[in-house]
Amino acid sequence: MEIYDPEDIRRSLSTRSTASAWTERTLAGMGIRNGQADSSSTTSNTKSNIEFIPLQEWQAIDQGSYICPNNSVPNGMQQNHQTQEGLGSHDGSPPSRGSPLIRIWWLEIVRCLLVVVMIAALVGTIFPYRSQPLSQWPYSLPINTIVAFYAEVMRAAMILVLGGFPLTQQVVQFYSCTVLDPGVNATIPKTNYASAELSQHIGAGLNSIGMDVQAVMNGAIYDSEPKQVSYVCPSGTCTFEGVYHTMGWCSHCKDISDQVEIRSSHTSMGSNTNFTLPSSNLTATVGPRTFVMGQRNPNNPVQVILGLGLSNETHGLPLPDTLWGNRGYGAAECSISACVRSFSSTVESGKLTENLVSTSETWNQGQLWFNSIDVSCLNPTETQALHNAGYDFDPKTTSWIAYNLSALAEEAFNPTVLNGTKTTIRPECIYQTYQGEVYSLSAYIGTMFTGAVSYGPGDLSGPSILQTIFKEGNVTFSTIGDTFDRLAQALTVWTREQGGNVTGLVYRSDTCVGALWGWLAYPLSVTIGTMILLAWTIDRTRREEGSAQDYKSSPLALFFHRLGNVGSEGPASDIETRDRLQKKAKTMRVVFQGTNKVWRFIEVD
């Protein structure tokens, strides 16, 4: 067999050289379409004979053979050359286009699907718990750990393309929130019975008032703010849903300055003016009796009269800049009575805000018992029983009805049985008090507010309670009303705290889980774009002859390939898979050698 010196190995480059069919298959396998060379392309050289040194020195099929100069190929080489011209096929036909695409592209498809599954898992994990407190997170792993796992799987699946997946961590947001704590309850006092803590019997239908209530009432006079009811709110944030009702006490004041009669008298000592209320004959006189309070009888309101004097009778004292001060006199009457008070309330940051919604005094005056029924509390059976008993009311428009009860009834202290029927009304629907509570309290208030204040230059004397109300002459109808309001509020708080409780909801501060879905826009758009590009690549390569090859980005395909005319491919021209290329490469030993000023890989033993 003829042996050729490698230095003599060369080929003439034709003026027009096209890539072989094997090259077409290789490029198609990598997803690259190699177009036809331009028919007008020529290679111009100043020399008539240009040497072309291939990338790889040919190995003879038998160890002693090389490609012959002048394109003369030994017989042993011709057989190999014919096989290579057949592009790896025994019959010279191109490889079948029916090779399964899944076998070639399965890894890319799995990566894309895995990213989609992880995004769906991320949404499915966060969505049910959005706006929920972190303490209700049901899994042992923290939510950040789970999201980080999803993000890492996505990044590992498509790390070369989707390097921005750390943005998925921004999907989960935490914020401070207030959530219901079902394990505890809030409470605020209420009662269905108004009490004044009756003590010793002192007269017909009258009793003294207990010392606890007396202390509460005295405190209300001197306090500048209304007394607040006690409550229980463990977290400092609670609500009492809707409107709740309680028995209590209400104040009523009326300006009766128009009833004051003014009588002036003149003596050797000077002039004097009297201010009198005819209904009670209560009289104020400038100086020794400037401010007077009193009650005609225990069942009547307390009356107040102020006589500062007319403008020319100030006795050297300036008149206050108030309505009563500018006029020089004023009068009012006030009372305290039992009532049903309706409230709505909330607790925020440990501070109770209780709003008075309405009051009701719907009962028949003169009865031994004051009873009122909350119509909204009744069930259909109770409503029908009341109708049968002669109570005419419309449940849709009526809030309270007066409930009559005989003074001789055995159930007087728990009036739940309808007279003449066997139907009972639930106690929680009935609000009541005893006539003796109302009259005894009114009588005690009369003793509290009886007396006169002397006021003049260098003189201020009288009962301390009246001096507190007088305010050194700055008393007005409004300030008197405020005093009785504080008194009624203090009595209401006391009587409420002797009864039961309204139950409320407790809210606690927590950290809630939020979702900012906009942060998924980038990974979703990149994933969708990648899937579209992958589908386009698969379809494009499917249409090419090289679709059965899976070289893709492997550089071994270029190392095994030698550019030149048809039939000049290397010995690995029939290898169509990267695995076979890698297996073949592992069995070869090559050196990077320069020949004729051209560097190339040459296989060696």
Side-chain angles (χ1 to χ4, degrees), residues 191-207:
T191 183
N192 287 53
Y193 183 83
S195 171
E197 195 185 23
L198 299 185
S199 184
Q200 299 295 323
H201 178 72
I202 58 175
L206 295 177
N207 293 74

Side-chain angles (χ1 to χ4, degrees), residues 281-491:
N281 203 31
L282 200 67
T283 300
T285 303
V286 178
R289 292 176 60 86
T290 301
F291 182 70
V292 183
M293 297 185 70
Q295 184 184 46
R296 185 171 58 182
N297 60 61
N299 296 328
N300 292 121
V302 172
Q303 291 188 331
V304 181
I305 187 168
L306 171 69
L308 290 172
L310 302 178
S311 58
N312 60 347
E313 297 178 331
T314 60
H315 297 283
L317 294 176
L319 292 176
D321 187 16
T322 62
L323 178 61
W324 285 7
N326 293 329
R327 188 170 54 197
Y329 68 92
E333 63 178 17
C334 297
S335 63
I336 301 290
S337 62
C339 65
V340 180
R341 305 182 76 172
S342 302
F343 295 96
S344 64
S345 61
T346 59
V347 180
E348 292 288 343
S349 302
K351 181 180 180 181
L352 172 68
T353 301
E354 189 173 47
N355 299 311
L356 180 62
V357 177
S358 63
T359 61
S360 172
E361 297 182 33
T362 307
W363 35 59
N364 292 329
Q365 298 290 343
Q367 296 291 327
L368 188 61
W369 286 93
F370 295 178
N371 303 295
S372 187
I373 292 180
D374 177 12
V375 175
S376 65
C377 176
L378 299 174
N379 59 39
T381 301
E382 294 168 333
T383 301
Q384 187 59 47
L386 287 170
H387 284 157
N388 295 340
Y391 290 88
D392 185 16
F393 63 95
D394 183 356
K396 295 181 180 180
T397 58
T398 304
S399 298
W400 300 93
I401 57 173
Y403 181 39
N404 297 325
L405 185 68
S406 171
L408 303 178
E410 294 180 358
E411 300 82 7
F413 286 92
N414 187 18
T416 62
V417 180
L418 283 173
N419 295 336
T421 72
K422 295 182 179 180
T423 302
T424 60
I425 304 298
R426 287 167 295 142
E428 60 264 32
C429 298
I430 303 174
Y431 295 80
Q432 65 173 172
T433 191
Y434 176 53
Q435 186 188 65
E437 304 274 2
V438 178
Y439 291 170
S440 297
L441 179 63
S442 177
Y444 177 75
I445 291 175
T447 63
M448 285 182 66
F449 301 112
T450 296
V453 174
S454 176
Y455 181 62
D459 179 27
L460 179 60
S461 61
S464 60
I465 288 180
L466 270 64
Q467 288 191 46
T468 301
I469 300 173
F470 179 61
K471 296 181 179 296
E472 296 184 357
N474 291 298
V475 61
T476 65
F477 173 73
S478 177
T479 62
I480 293 175
D482 290 343
T483 299
F484 275 81
D485 284 344
R486 292 196 305 272
L487 185 61
Q489 173 67 8
L491 286 166

Side-chain angles (χ1 to χ4, degrees), residues 177-182 184 186 233-241 347-348 504-510:
C177 61
T178 301
V179 297
L180 177 66
D181 189 344
V184 292
C233 179
S235 68
T237 303
C238 302
T239 61
F240 299 90
E241 294 186 348
V347 180
E348 292 288 343
L505 303 177
V506 177
Y507 294 85
R508 55 181 172 80
S509 297
D510 208 330

Side-chain angles (χ1 to χ4, degrees), residues 15-35:
T15 58
R16 181 181 179 189
S17 176
T18 60
S20 65
W22 189 88
T23 304
E24 293 283 357
R25 290 194 302 153
T26 301
L27 297 177
M30 292 185 288
I32 303 173
R33 184 179 182 89
N34 187 37

